[in-house]
């Protein structure tokens, strides 16, 4: 039993480690059901926001319109895992995506608008890996 638990722990650490230390490999699309939005992390480092139901483009995050980009390890409660955080220059919001320390592919997302104390918090569901 200890060997099985050790194997599961090793797999979890490698999955989290891959996410944490090679952001370039974080590619794919996650679906925000509450907002009808797809968040697509692309190989070129951009993050594209589109409407899920229509595919209409909403916004593209690039090096030119993102500030304070950072990747870090989280170790507190439900937020334990790896996070990607940044501020949108033009959107006036702070974004945080957390890959929890589990084997799920879903991300916890928090959006903090500058003009209010209300945060938009949800779990976005993994949809598909990005095409190469």
């Amino acid at each position: 039993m200890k060997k099985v638990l050790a194997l599961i722990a090793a797999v979890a650490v490698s999955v989290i480690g891959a996410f944490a230390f090679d952001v370039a490999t974080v590619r794919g699309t996650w679906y925000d059901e509450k907002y009808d939005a797809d968040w697509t992390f692309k190989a070129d480092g951009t993050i594209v926001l589109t409407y899920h139901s229509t595919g209409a483009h909403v916004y593209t995050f690039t090096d030119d319109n993102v500030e304070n980009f950072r990747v870090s390890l989280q170790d507190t409660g439900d937020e334990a895992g790896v996070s990607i955080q940044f501020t949108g220059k033009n959107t006036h919001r702070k974004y945080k995506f957390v890959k929890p320390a589990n084997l799920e592919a879903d991300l916890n997302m928090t959006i903090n608008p500058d003009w209010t104390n209300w945060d938009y918090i949800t779990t976005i569901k993994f949809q598909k890996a990005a095409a190469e």
Side-chain angles (χ1 to χ4, degrees):
M1 185 63 171
K2 287 182 183 180
K3 287 182 181 181
V4 171
L5 291 176
L7 179 61
I8 291 171
V11 169
V13 167
S14 67
V15 168
I16 292 168
F19 186 89
F21 300 114
D22 191 0
V23 177
T25 65
V26 179
R27 293 187 292 254
T29 300
W30 283 262
Y31 173 52
D32 175 1
E33 185 175 7
K34 291 182 187 178
Y35 188 71
D36 183 40
D38 283 333
W39 290 86
T40 302
F41 291 74
K42 295 189 167 198
D44 64 2
T46 61
I47 302 170
V48 179
L49 177 62
T50 56
Y51 284 111
H52 181 78
S53 58
T54 65
H57 179 263
V58 177
Y59 196 77
T60 299
F61 296 91
T62 66
D63 287 340
D64 295 333
N65 60 25
V66 168
E67 298 178 317
N68 304 318
F69 184 88
R70 70 178 188 256
V71 177
S72 60
L73 294 175
Q74 303 276 130
D75 63 357
T76 55
D78 292 340
E79 290 294 298
V82 177
S83 73
I84 295 175
Q85 299 178 60
F86 59 89
T87 301
K89 287 182 190 178
N90 303 325
T91 64
H92 306 287
R93 294 170 175 87
K94 293 177 183 77
Y95 300 87
K96 180 178 178 182
F97 299 88
V98 177
K99 167 52 184 97
N102 60 33
L103 297 178
E104 301 286 322
D106 301 337
L107 301 175
N108 296 331
M109 180 178 69
T110 302
I111 301 174
N112 179 332
D114 291 347
W115 61 89
T116 181
N117 290 330
W118 177 83
D119 289 347
Y120 177 71
I121 301 170
T122 192
T123 298
I124 55 178
K125 303 291 183 183
F126 180 73
Q127 296 298 295
K128 63 182 177 179
E132 294 296 323

